[in-house]
Amino acid sequence: MKKTAYISSLRNFRVWHRFTGLALFFFIFLSALTGIFLAWKKDAGWIQPPTESGSTKDLAEWLPIDSLNKIAAAAFYQKYPAQTGNQIDRMDVRPSKGIVKMLFEKGWWEVQVDGKTGAVLSISRRHSDWIEQIHDGSIISDFFKLISMNVLGIGLSAMVITGFWLWLGPKKYRKQKNRQSG
């Protein structure tokens, strides 16, 4: 490759690298920051409530799911009357822990219930859920998530490729230059 071709490609890659980096800066920073929080979610109780332990792992001894559902909802509405009407969105059944986590549609609330006794073990907010929604863009919409994650992935790939060439190109140029002069 001629001197001008190396220099020209390096200049072009430097421009691509700079503008891609500037365009993606906010998204990369936000994704990195929320990723750090998500990495710590199991170790920091303020991000996600610790998973409690129930009285038995034997599912045959557990109360029916609809009973656990009613117990969790009643305890939640009693503690937070303003949340009445906030429906359970999903259940995270943890046989290995002997519990069921009831996750509500609004406000990122979680109620943990002992599968056997129905005892309410915890009522807390799951901050990890809204942090994850910011992390992946779904807090805005699922369509935004699809577009932003693709742009971020393609942009980061471009940053890696251009960054690699900006590191390797000068080395190759110097090596070729030394061969020609020596």
Side-chain angles (χ1 to χ4, degrees):
M1 188 181 276
K2 293 181 180 180
K3 174 181 176 179
T4 56
Y6 267 120
I7 301 298
S8 176
S9 73
L10 287 170
R11 285 183 184 145
N12 289 336
F13 273 70
R14 191 172 294 121
V15 169
W16 274 95
H17 191 80
R18 181 182 314 124
F19 286 114
T20 302
L22 287 172
L24 294 176
F25 171 78
F26 176 74
F27 294 105
I28 292 170
F29 180 74
L30 191 61
S31 184
L33 184 63
T34 55
I36 290 168
F37 286 127
L38 291 172
W40 281 93
K41 74 180 181 182
K42 300 285 185 185
D43 300 304
W46 66 270
I47 297 175
Q48 180 173 305
T51 301
E52 302 293 334
S53 292
S55 53
T56 184
K57 297 176 184 180
D58 184 3
L59 294 175
E61 296 181 32
W62 280 27
L63 294 172
I65 288 290
D66 67 326
S67 297
L68 296 172
N69 181 34
K70 289 175 186 169
I71 291 167
F76 179 60
Y77 301 146
Q78 181 179 7
K79 185 169 182 177
Y80 298 103
Q83 292 292 324
T84 301
N86 190 358
Q87 298 297 310
I88 293 174
D89 178 45
R90 63 190 190 275
M91 298 175 191
D92 181 0
V93 178
R94 301 280 180 104
S96 65
K97 290 287 196 170
I99 63 145
V100 179
K101 294 182 179 185
M102 308 293 183
L103 307 171
F104 288 79
E105 290 176 347
K106 299 175 189 151
W108 302 286
W109 289 100
E110 166 189 284
V111 176
Q112 294 183 38
V113 181
D114 184 308
K116 179 181 180 180
T117 66
V120 175
L121 304 172
S122 168
I123 299 176
S124 305
R125 283 196 190 257
R126 289 174 54 102
H127 296 287
S128 60
D129 289 353
W130 64 263
I131 293 170
E132 184 177 340
Q133 288 178 352
I134 291 172
H135 182 73
D136 69 11
S138 63
I139 199 160
I140 295 173
S141 73
D142 285 338
F143 181 71
F144 181 80
K145 173 185 173 179
L146 177 69
I147 298 302
S148 67
M149 289 296 103
N150 277 286
V151 167
L152 190 58
I154 292 167
L156 284 172
S157 297
M159 294 292 291
V160 167
I161 292 166
T162 58
F164 181 72
W165 181 244
L166 290 172
W167 170 79
L168 182 65
K171 290 181 182 298
K172 288 182 67 102
Y173 175 69
R174 279 193 289 282
K175 190 175 184 179
Q176 181 182 4
K177 187 178 170 185
N178 288 340
R179 268 194 239 141
Q180 291 173 351
S181 65

mmCIF file of all heavy atoms in Angstrom, residues 80-113:
data_model
loop_
_atom_site.group_PDB
_atom_site.id
_atom_site.type_symbol
_atom_site.label_atom_id
_atom_site.label_comp_id
_atom_site.label_asym_id
_atom_site.label_seq_id
_atom_site.Cartn_x
_atom_site.Cartn_y
_atom_site.Cartn_z
ATOM 1 N N TYR A 80 -49.979 -0.408 51.055
ATOM 2 C CA TYR A 80 -49.981 0.753 50.154
ATOM 3 C C TYR A 80 -51.366 0.915 49.531
ATOM 4 O O TYR A 80 -51.582 0.537 48.380
ATOM 5 C CB TYR A 80 -48.923 0.584 49.063
ATOM 6 C CG TYR A 80 -47.521 0.497 49.595
ATOM 7 C CD1 TYR A 80 -46.859 -0.721 49.679
ATOM 8 C CD2 TYR A 80 -46.861 1.639 50.043
ATOM 9 C CE1 TYR A 80 -45.574 -0.805 50.184
ATOM 10 C CE2 TYR A 80 -45.574 1.570 50.546
ATOM 11 C CZ TYR A 80 -44.935 0.348 50.614
ATOM 12 O OH TYR A 80 -43.664 0.268 51.120
ATOM 13 N N PRO A 81 -52.335 1.472 50.268
ATOM 14 C CA PRO A 81 -53.710 1.587 49.767
ATOM 15 C C PRO A 81 -53.826 2.370 48.454
ATOM 16 O O PRO A 81 -54.708 2.089 47.645
ATOM 17 C CB PRO A 81 -54.451 2.320 50.894
ATOM 18 C CG PRO A 81 -53.578 2.235 52.093
ATOM 19 C CD PRO A 81 -52.190 1.997 51.621
ATOM 20 N N ALA A 82 -52.917 3.315 48.232
ATOM 21 C CA ALA A 82 -52.959 4.088 46.989
ATOM 22 C C ALA A 82 -52.665 3.224 45.768
ATOM 23 O O ALA A 82 -52.980 3.612 44.639
ATOM 24 C CB ALA A 82 -51.962 5.247 47.058
ATOM 25 N N GLN A 83 -52.100 2.040 45.981
ATOM 26 C CA GLN A 83 -51.758 1.136 44.877
ATOM 27 C C GLN A 83 -52.900 0.182 44.514
ATOM 28 O O GLN A 83 -52.746 -0.645 43.614
ATOM 29 C CB GLN A 83 -50.503 0.326 45.233
ATOM 30 C CG GLN A 83 -49.246 1.149 45.318
ATOM 31 C CD GLN A 83 -48.810 1.676 43.964
ATOM 32 O OE1 GLN A 83 -48.944 1.025 42.936
ATOM 33 N NE2 GLN A 83 -48.295 2.896 43.968
ATOM 34 N N THR A 84 -54.041 0.293 45.210
ATOM 35 C CA THR A 84 -55.175 -0.583 44.913
ATOM 36 C C THR A 84 -55.501 -0.483 43.427
ATOM 37 O O THR A 84 -55.609 0.603 42.877
ATOM 38 C CB THR A 84 -56.392 -0.199 45.773
ATOM 39 O OG1 THR A 84 -56.010 -0.317 47.145
ATOM 40 C CG2 THR A 84 -57.579 -1.120 45.503
ATOM 41 N N GLY A 85 -55.644 -1.618 42.791
ATOM 42 C CA GLY A 85 -55.903 -1.652 41.354
ATOM 43 C C GLY A 85 -54.644 -1.940 40.544
ATOM 44 O O GLY A 85 -54.726 -2.283 39.369
ATOM 45 N N ASN A 86 -53.488 -1.778 41.147
ATOM 46 C CA ASN A 86 -52.231 -2.136 40.490
ATOM 47 C C ASN A 86 -52.162 -3.659 40.462
ATOM 48 O O ASN A 86 -51.989 -4.299 41.487
ATOM 49 C CB ASN A 86 -51.045 -1.533 41.263
ATOM 50 C CG ASN A 86 -49.725 -1.659 40.524
ATOM 51 O OD1 ASN A 86 -49.649 -2.232 39.442
ATOM 52 N ND2 ASN A 86 -48.680 -1.132 41.129
ATOM 53 N N GLN A 87 -52.323 -4.225 39.298
ATOM 54 C CA GLN A 87 -52.447 -5.678 39.151
ATOM 55 C C GLN A 87 -51.086 -6.368 39.080
ATOM 56 O O GLN A 87 -50.093 -5.780 38.666
ATOM 57 C CB GLN A 87 -53.236 -6.010 37.878
ATOM 58 C CG GLN A 87 -54.653 -5.490 37.880
ATOM 59 C CD GLN A 87 -55.487 -6.122 38.981
ATOM 60 O OE1 GLN A 87 -55.517 -7.332 39.132
ATOM 61 N NE2 GLN A 87 -56.154 -5.287 39.768
ATOM 62 N N ILE A 88 -51.097 -7.629 39.482
ATOM 63 C CA ILE A 88 -49.890 -8.449 39.365
ATOM 64 C C ILE A 88 -49.650 -8.744 37.889
ATOM 65 O O ILE A 88 -50.531 -9.224 37.182
ATOM 66 C CB ILE A 88 -50.015 -9.737 40.203
ATOM 67 C CG1 ILE A 88 -50.037 -9.371 41.694
ATOM 68 C CG2 ILE A 88 -48.878 -10.698 39.888
ATOM 69 C CD1 ILE A 88 -50.297 -10.520 42.629
ATOM 70 N N ASP A 89 -48.450 -8.415 37.449
ATOM 71 C CA ASP A 89 -48.067 -8.574 36.045
ATOM 72 C C ASP A 89 -47.509 -9.970 35.778
ATOM 73 O O ASP A 89 -47.837 -10.615 34.798
ATOM 74 C CB ASP A 89 -47.018 -7.522 35.687
ATOM 75 C CG ASP A 89 -46.520 -7.623 34.264
ATOM 76 O OD1 ASP A 89 -47.356 -7.795 33.360
ATOM 77 O OD2 ASP A 89 -45.297 -7.532 34.047
ATOM 78 N N ARG A 90 -46.650 -10.429 36.675
ATOM 79 C CA ARG A 90 -46.042 -11.747 36.487
ATOM 80 C C ARG A 90 -45.593 -12.307 37.827
ATOM 81 O O ARG A 90 -45.466 -11.576 38.802
ATOM 82 C CB ARG A 90 -44.874 -11.683 35.502
ATOM 83 C CG ARG A 90 -43.718 -10.828 35.938
ATOM 84 C CD ARG A 90 -42.712 -10.647 34.773
ATOM 85 N NE ARG A 90 -41.487 -10.028 35.202
ATOM 86 C CZ ARG A 90 -41.293 -8.716 35.312
ATOM 87 N NH1 ARG A 90 -42.283 -7.894 35.023
ATOM 88 N NH2 ARG A 90 -40.147 -8.233 35.708
ATOM 89 N N MET A 91 -45.354 -13.602 37.812
ATOM 90 C CA MET A 91 -44.907 -14.300 39.013
ATOM 91 C C MET A 91 -43.597 -14.993 38.710
ATOM 92 O O MET A 91 -43.462 -15.655 37.693
ATOM 93 C CB MET A 91 -45.940 -15.340 39.444
ATOM 94 C CG MET A 91 -47.265 -14.765 39.799
ATOM 95 S SD MET A 91 -48.405 -16.102 40.148
ATOM 96 C CE MET A 91 -49.934 -15.193 40.200
ATOM 97 N N ASP A 92 -42.669 -14.827 39.618
ATOM 98 C CA ASP A 92 -41.358 -15.457 39.508
ATOM 99 C C ASP A 92 -41.336 -16.555 40.567
ATOM 100 O O ASP A 92 -41.143 -16.286 41.743
ATOM 101 C CB ASP A 92 -40.282 -14.400 39.746
ATOM 102 C CG ASP A 92 -38.871 -14.947 39.632
ATOM 103 O OD1 ASP A 92 -38.700 -16.155 39.373
ATOM 104 O OD2 ASP A 92 -37.925 -14.148 39.806
ATOM 105 N N VAL A 93 -41.574 -17.781 40.133
ATOM 106 C CA VAL A 93 -41.643 -18.916 41.056
ATOM 107 C C VAL A 93 -40.237 -19.454 41.270
ATOM 108 O O VAL A 93 -39.546 -19.794 40.315
ATOM 109 C CB VAL A 93 -42.575 -20.022 40.498
ATOM 110 C CG1 VAL A 93 -42.621 -21.213 41.427
ATOM 111 C CG2 VAL A 93 -43.965 -19.464 40.249
ATOM 112 N N ARG A 94 -39.821 -19.507 42.532
ATOM 113 C CA ARG A 94 -38.480 -19.963 42.887
ATOM 114 C C ARG A 94 -38.564 -21.195 43.776
ATOM 115 O O ARG A 94 -38.452 -21.095 44.997
ATOM 116 C CB ARG A 94 -37.727 -18.861 43.639
ATOM 117 C CG ARG A 94 -37.560 -17.564 42.902
ATOM 118 C CD ARG A 94 -36.403 -17.696 41.903
ATOM 119 N NE ARG A 94 -36.194 -16.480 41.170
ATOM 120 C CZ ARG A 94 -35.221 -15.622 41.384
ATOM 121 N NH1 ARG A 94 -34.357 -15.840 42.338
ATOM 122 N NH2 ARG A 94 -35.108 -14.548 40.638
ATOM 123 N N PRO A 95 -38.773 -22.373 43.191
ATOM 124 C CA PRO A 95 -38.861 -23.587 44.011
ATOM 125 C C PRO A 95 -37.609 -23.812 44.868
ATOM 126 O O PRO A 95 -37.705 -24.270 46.001
ATOM 127 C CB PRO A 95 -39.020 -24.710 42.986
ATOM 128 C CG PRO A 95 -39.533 -24.056 41.758
ATOM 129 C CD PRO A 95 -38.973 -22.659 41.777
ATOM 130 N N SER A 96 -36.441 -23.467 44.338
ATOM 131 C CA SER A 96 -35.196 -23.690 45.092
ATOM 132 C C SER A 96 -35.115 -22.800 46.335
ATOM 133 O O SER A 96 -34.353 -23.106 47.255
ATOM 134 C CB SER A 96 -33.981 -23.440 44.208
ATOM 135 O OG SER A 96 -33.929 -22.080 43.826
ATOM 136 N N LYS A 97 -35.887 -21.730 46.370
ATOM 137 C CA LYS A 97 -35.919 -20.836 47.524
ATOM 138 C C LYS A 97 -37.203 -20.985 48.330
ATOM 139 O O LYS A 97 -37.348 -20.395 49.392
ATOM 140 C CB LYS A 97 -35.789 -19.375 47.069
ATOM 141 C CG LYS A 97 -34.426 -19.017 46.531
ATOM 142 C CD LYS A 97 -33.442 -18.919 47.661
ATOM 143 C CE LYS A 97 -32.185 -18.203 47.226
ATOM 144 N NZ LYS A 97 -31.327 -17.885 48.340
ATOM 145 N N GLY A 98 -38.176 -21.711 47.787
ATOM 146 C CA GLY A 98 -39.439 -21.911 48.493
ATOM 147 C C GLY A 98 -40.357 -20.696 48.461
ATOM 148 O O GLY A 98 -41.222 -20.561 49.319
ATOM 149 N N ILE A 99 -40.172 -19.827 47.473
ATOM 150 C CA ILE A 99 -40.969 -18.599 47.419
ATOM 151 C C ILE A 99 -41.518 -18.324 46.024
ATOM 152 O O ILE A 99 -41.097 -18.926 45.041
ATOM 153 C CB ILE A 99 -40.139 -17.362 47.840
ATOM 154 C CG1 ILE A 99 -38.982 -17.133 46.868
ATOM 155 C CG2 ILE A 99 -39.642 -17.482 49.253
ATOM 156 C CD1 ILE A 99 -38.662 -15.694 46.650
ATOM 157 N N VAL A 100 -42.449 -17.364 45.991
ATOM 158 C CA VAL A 100 -42.947 -16.798 44.743
ATOM 159 C C VAL A 100 -42.817 -15.284 44.860
ATOM 160 O O VAL A 100 -43.203 -14.696 45.867
ATOM 161 C CB VAL A 100 -44.424 -17.175 44.483
ATOM 162 C CG1 VAL A 100 -44.917 -16.546 43.187
ATOM 163 C CG2 VAL A 100 -44.597 -18.684 44.431
ATOM 164 N N LYS A 101 -42.241 -14.675 43.825
ATOM 165 C CA LYS A 101 -42.167 -13.217 43.759
ATOM 166 C C LYS A 101 -43.301 -12.752 42.854
ATOM 167 O O LYS A 101 -43.403 -13.179 41.704
ATOM 168 C CB LYS A 101 -40.836 -12.750 43.159
ATOM 169 C CG LYS A 101 -39.627 -13.062 43.998
ATOM 170 C CD LYS A 101 -38.376 -12.512 43.319
ATOM 171 C CE LYS A 101 -37.135 -12.784 44.122
ATOM 172 N NZ LYS A 101 -35.938 -12.158 43.528
ATOM 173 N N MET A 102 -44.157 -11.885 43.381
ATOM 174 C CA MET A 102 -45.244 -11.312 42.600
ATOM 175 C C MET A 102 -44.791 -9.920 42.162
ATOM 176 O O MET A 102 -44.475 -9.073 43.000
ATOM 177 C CB MET A 102 -46.512 -11.184 43.447
ATOM 178 C CG MET A 102 -46.934 -12.452 44.151
ATOM 179 S SD MET A 102 -47.452 -13.718 42.997
ATOM 180 C CE MET A 102 -47.942 -14.978 44.137
ATOM 181 N N LEU A 103 -44.756 -9.695 40.863
ATOM 182 C CA LEU A 103 -44.300 -8.426 40.315
ATOM 183 C C LEU A 103 -45.494 -7.667 39.753
ATOM 184 O O LEU A 103 -46.249 -8.201 38.943
ATOM 185 C CB LEU A 103 -43.243 -8.669 39.240
ATOM 186 C CG LEU A 103 -42.078 -9.562 39.689
ATOM 187 C CD1 LEU A 103 -41.196 -9.939 38.523
ATOM 188 C CD2 LEU A 103 -41.273 -8.878 40.760
ATOM 189 N N PHE A 104 -45.656 -6.422 40.169
ATOM 190 C CA PHE A 104 -46.814 -5.625 39.801
ATOM 191 C C PHE A 104 -46.575 -4.823 38.523
ATOM 192 O O PHE A 104 -45.432 -4.536 38.159
ATOM 193 C CB PHE A 104 -47.208 -4.705 40.971
ATOM 194 C CG PHE A 104 -47.839 -5.459 42.106
ATOM 195 C CD1 PHE A 104 -47.066 -6.174 42.999
ATOM 196 C CD2 PHE A 104 -49.216 -5.481 42.253
ATOM 197 C CE1 PHE A 104 -47.637 -6.892 44.041
ATOM 198 C CE2 PHE A 104 -49.807 -6.199 43.286
ATOM 199 C CZ PHE A 104 -49.018 -6.899 44.176
ATOM 200 N N GLU A 105 -47.677 -4.468 37.857
ATOM 201 C CA GLU A 105 -47.608 -3.777 36.576
ATOM 202 C C GLU A 105 -46.990 -2.384 36.680
ATOM 203 O O GLU A 105 -46.240 -1.967 35.808
ATOM 204 C CB GLU A 105 -49.005 -3.642 35.955
ATOM 205 C CG GLU A 105 -49.591 -4.938 35.484
ATOM 206 C CD GLU A 105 -51.013 -4.800 34.964
ATOM 207 O OE1 GLU A 105 -51.646 -3.743 35.181
ATOM 208 O OE2 GLU A 105 -51.487 -5.757 34.341
ATOM 209 N N LYS A 106 -47.318 -1.645 37.722
ATOM 210 C CA LYS A 106 -46.886 -0.253 37.837
ATOM 211 C C LYS A 106 -46.027 -0.053 39.077
ATOM 212 O O LYS A 106 -46.275 -0.645 40.118
ATOM 213 C CB LYS A 106 -48.095 0.677 37.913
ATOM 214 C CG LYS A 106 -48.977 0.614 36.689
ATOM 215 C CD LYS A 106 -50.209 1.463 36.874
ATOM 216 C CE LYS A 106 -51.166 1.202 35.737
ATOM 217 N NZ LYS A 106 -52.532 1.410 36.132
ATOM 218 N N GLY A 107 -45.042 0.812 38.956
ATOM 219 C CA GLY A 107 -44.254 1.210 40.111
ATOM 220 C C GLY A 107 -43.125 0.279 40.483
ATOM 221 O O GLY A 107 -42.440 0.505 41.467
ATOM 222 N N TRP A 108 -42.931 -0.797 39.732
ATOM 223 C CA TRP A 108 -41.833 -1.732 39.969
ATOM 224 C C TRP A 108 -41.858 -2.325 41.383
ATOM 225 O O TRP A 108 -40.847 -2.408 42.070
ATOM 226 C CB TRP A 108 -40.483 -1.067 39.668
ATOM 227 C CG TRP A 108 -40.418 -0.577 38.260
ATOM 228 C CD1 TRP A 108 -40.282 -1.354 37.143
ATOM 229 C CD2 TRP A 108 -40.512 0.760 37.798
ATOM 230 N NE1 TRP A 108 -40.283 -0.570 36.016
ATOM 231 C CE2 TRP A 108 -40.419 0.741 36.397
ATOM 232 C CE3 TRP A 108 -40.669 1.994 38.424
ATOM 233 C CZ2 TRP A 108 -40.476 1.888 35.622
ATOM 234 C CZ3 TRP A 108 -40.723 3.135 37.637
ATOM 235 C CH2 TRP A 108 -40.632 3.072 36.260
ATOM 236 N N TRP A 109 -43.040 -2.749 41.806
ATOM 237 C CA TRP A 109 -43.211 -3.349 43.132
ATOM 238 C C TRP A 109 -43.072 -4.853 43.067
ATOM 239 O O TRP A 109 -43.437 -5.485 42.073
ATOM 240 C CB TRP A 109 -44.588 -3.002 43.706
ATOM 241 C CG TRP A 109 -44.719 -1.580 44.111
ATOM 242 C CD1 TRP A 109 -45.320 -0.576 43.385
ATOM 243 C CD2 TRP A 109 -44.262 -0.980 45.313
ATOM 244 N NE1 TRP A 109 -45.252 0.606 44.080
ATOM 245 C CE2 TRP A 109 -44.602 0.388 45.268
ATOM 246 C CE3 TRP A 109 -43.585 -1.459 46.422
ATOM 247 C CZ2 TRP A 109 -44.301 1.269 46.287
ATOM 248 C CZ3 TRP A 109 -43.285 -0.578 47.450
ATOM 249 C CH2 TRP A 109 -43.641 0.773 47.376
ATOM 250 N N GLU A 110 -42.601 -5.429 44.176
ATOM 251 C CA GLU A 110 -42.446 -6.870 44.293
ATOM 252 C C GLU A 110 -42.917 -7.298 45.684
ATOM 253 O O GLU A 110 -42.608 -6.650 46.674
ATOM 254 C CB GLU A 110 -40.961 -7.222 44.135
ATOM 255 C CG GLU A 110 -40.596 -8.620 44.563
ATOM 256 C CD GLU A 110 -39.096 -8.836 44.593
ATOM 257 O OE1 GLU A 110 -38.506 -8.982 43.514
ATOM 258 O OE2 GLU A 110 -38.529 -8.858 45.701
ATOM 259 N N VAL A 111 -43.674 -8.413 45.716
ATOM 260 C CA VAL A 111 -44.050 -9.030 46.986
ATOM 261 C C VAL A 111 -43.539 -10.460 46.937
ATOM 262 O O VAL A 111 -43.824 -11.199 45.988
ATOM 263 C CB VAL A 111 -45.589 -9.012 47.202
ATOM 264 C CG1 VAL A 111 -45.956 -9.745 48.479
ATOM 265 C CG2 VAL A 111 -46.120 -7.591 47.212
ATOM 266 N N GLN A 112 -42.784 -10.849 47.966
ATOM 267 C CA GLN A 112 -42.282 -12.220 48.061
ATOM 268 C C GLN A 112 -43.128 -12.972 49.092
ATOM 269 O O GLN A 112 -43.333 -12.492 50.205
ATOM 270 C CB GLN A 112 -40.805 -12.228 48.479
ATOM 271 C CG GLN A 112 -39.891 -11.621 47.438
ATOM 272 C CD GLN A 112 -38.435 -11.704 47.813
ATOM 273 O OE1 GLN A 112 -37.984 -12.702 48.383
ATOM 274 N NE2 GLN A 112 -37.672 -10.672 47.482
ATOM 275 N N VAL A 113 -43.607 -14.143 48.675
ATOM 276 C CA VAL A 113 -44.506 -14.942 49.511
ATOM 277 C C VAL A 113 -43.943 -16.350 49.670
ATOM 278 O O VAL A 113 -43.471 -16.959 48.704
ATOM 279 C CB VAL A 113 -45.918 -15.005 48.873
ATOM 280 C CG1 VAL A 113 -46.871 -15.807 49.719
ATOM 281 C CG2 VAL A 113 -46.465 -13.615 48.623
#
